[in-house]
Amino acid sequence: MVREIPSTSDAGVDDRPPWGHLVLLGLQHVLVMYAGAVVVPMVVGSALGLGQDEIATLVCIDLVLAGIGTILQSLGLWKFGIRMPLVVGAASNGIVPMILIGQSKGLPTVYGSLLVGGVLWVLLAPFFGSLMRLFPAVVTGTVITLIGLTLIPVGLRLITGKDPGAPDYAAPGNLLIAGFTVLLVVVFSRFLRGLLGQLSLLLALVVGAIVGWIAGMGALTRVGSGPVLGVPEPFHYGMVQFDLPSILLFLIVVLVLTVEASGQGLAVGQVVGRKVGPAEISRLLRVDGLLTALSGIFNGFAYTTFGQNIGLIALTKVRSRYPVAVGGVILVLLGVVQPIGRLVAAIPQPVIGAVAVVTFAALTVSGIELLSEVDFSRSGNLVVVMIALGVGLAPTGAPDLYHQLPFVAQVFLDSGVATGTVLAVVLNALFHLRRERDG
């Protein structure tokens, strides 16, 4: 049953804020995850030598599919969707396989592999969901903390830039506008109440963007250029082709994404106060698999449930899934009504990065809160957390740590969240079984 509630109260998962507030709350979720949603098509398109128009097409397709996935996760349809406030976007783990296969065997093979991988993902979702009994509080808290700590550098790179050798790396202007945006978040969170308080991040982002544009950051000149409407075209790069080695490579990516997405499901359950079990994880994974399979037809990407907006939920205390569903509709519109997407894309990256750092830090705090309930007088729990966090954060601190290993190993180990999650599960099982035998 859906209940309409005042905007000033904490919204439960199934409560619906007033209609007049849904769009603004949904837009806030979109802006928090937008940069992560569009970076994958931009990187893949550039690496494959596609033109600006083709890259823009990939971005629009990505937004439409991400919007559909977000709506499914939030509202649910049959056995698809966890029915919680989660967003979906293109997975960065799929970038390297798409580039390697695209350069050597062409995009039709890339999309044939995505189609097969997505279908298998949907079929195997119940098996993956049944493994959730391996995620007690010590594991879940570690995974949530690891996700937050891993994402914070993503926001920082939006502020500083990605190339330390570039002349404008960590430019004082970028640091200034990012610091100003963070200050706005603090001021708005402290002094605004009700709906405005819940929209503190969105307001800070809008004001920060306007100040950034006035200061000459970001380019608004291309907002009015190009087509107004665009609809994804199936098999734009030709009919899909199937290649067994390429399919196997993407199946490895699917395994990595399964671990990460399961962690996101557990994280949002902790933040909104709802139990997440095997059935919920299975429904979550089916959406990721479905969107990945659809990518094989509409030329998208490997998709996964994002954790970017979980920190926003923890910060605003609005746990309702309906604003996120509205955010999914907004994503679809951003992909179809292309000038809107171009306007959002013009927001200066340091502003987006500042908001991202704040939300990812809030997610980290949620994990720490859960770990505070764990009994660390038992040495096993301490070992689980310190090893999983230490190893899981290694790729963040040393991005080239595994570059001399075989490519298959790199695909898994470069995902610190996946590596840390597996370690937390295995170590927890090891110490748990040991205590049973000792008892």
Side-chain angles (χ1 to χ4, degrees), residues 11 33 39 50 115 139 168 182 264 281 296 329 331 360 401 417:
M33 59 82 69
V39 68
L50 301 180
L115 178 60
V139 174
D168 60 346
V182 172
Q264 311 287 18
I281 294 298
V329 175
L331 283 171
F360 299 158
L401 182 64
V417 173

Side-chain angles (χ1 to χ4, degrees), residues 138-394:
V138 64
V139 174
T140 305
T142 301
V143 171
I144 297 172
T145 304
L146 180 59
I147 291 171
L149 292 174
T150 301
L151 287 173
I152 287 174
V154 176
L156 292 175
R157 284 193 290 271
L158 290 173
I159 298 172
T160 62
K162 297 180 180 179
D163 182 9
D168 60 346
Y169 181 79
N174 290 359
L175 301 182
L176 184 61
I177 192 65
F180 173 69
T181 304
V182 172
L183 178 62
L184 289 175
V185 173
V186 175
V187 172
F188 292 156
S189 299
R190 172 63 181 85
F191 295 105
L192 298 182
R193 296 291 182 266
L195 176 64
L196 292 178
Q198 295 168 354
L199 295 174
S200 58
L201 289 178
L202 175 59
L203 293 174
L205 191 146
V206 171
V207 175
I210 293 173
V211 173
W213 288 330
I214 294 174
M217 297 182 180
L220 292 171
T221 55
R222 295 182 59 85
V223 173
S225 62
V228 176
L229 299 176
V231 179
E233 174 188 350
F235 306 115
H236 178 73
Y237 296 101
M239 188 56 63
V240 295
Q241 298 179 8
F242 302 104
D243 174 71
L244 184 57
S246 300
I247 292 172
L248 292 176
L249 179 57
F250 270 104
L251 287 179
I252 294 173
V253 174
V254 165
L255 290 175
V256 173
L257 294 178
T258 294
V259 176
E260 291 192 356
S262 299
Q264 311 287 18
L266 293 168
V268 78
Q270 174 64 27
V271 171
V272 303
R274 174 169 289 187
K275 180 177 175 58
V276 174
E280 288 76 19
I281 294 298
S282 296
R283 293 200 300 266
L284 178 150
L285 295 176
R286 286 192 187 99
V287 171
D288 292 349
L290 174 64
L291 268 294
T292 301
L294 288 176
S295 292
I297 300 173
F298 292 101
N299 310 122
F301 305 87
Y303 282 86
T304 187
T305 299
F306 275 10
Q308 278 90 332
N309 73 316
I310 301 177
L312 176 63
I313 298 167
L315 193 63
T316 64
K317 306 300 182 184
V318 179
R319 304 177 180 92
S320 173
R321 56 196 173 109
Y322 294 99
V324 180
V326 172
V329 175
I330 294 174
L331 283 171
V332 174
L333 292 177
L334 289 174
V336 174
V337 184
Q338 298 184 17
I340 300 177
R342 291 193 289 268
L343 176 63
V344 177
I347 296 175
Q349 286 198 347
V351 175
I352 297 176
V355 173
V357 169
V358 173
T359 56
F360 299 158
L363 176 59
T364 304
V365 172
S366 297
I368 294 173
E369 287 178 343
L370 184 56
L371 287 176
S372 68
E373 302 173 5
V374 175
D375 182 7
F376 282 104
S377 64
R378 298 183 177 182
S379 60
N381 286 335
L382 180 60
V383 172
V384 170
V385 177
M386 69 182 188
I387 298 298
L389 285 181
V391 177
L393 289 172

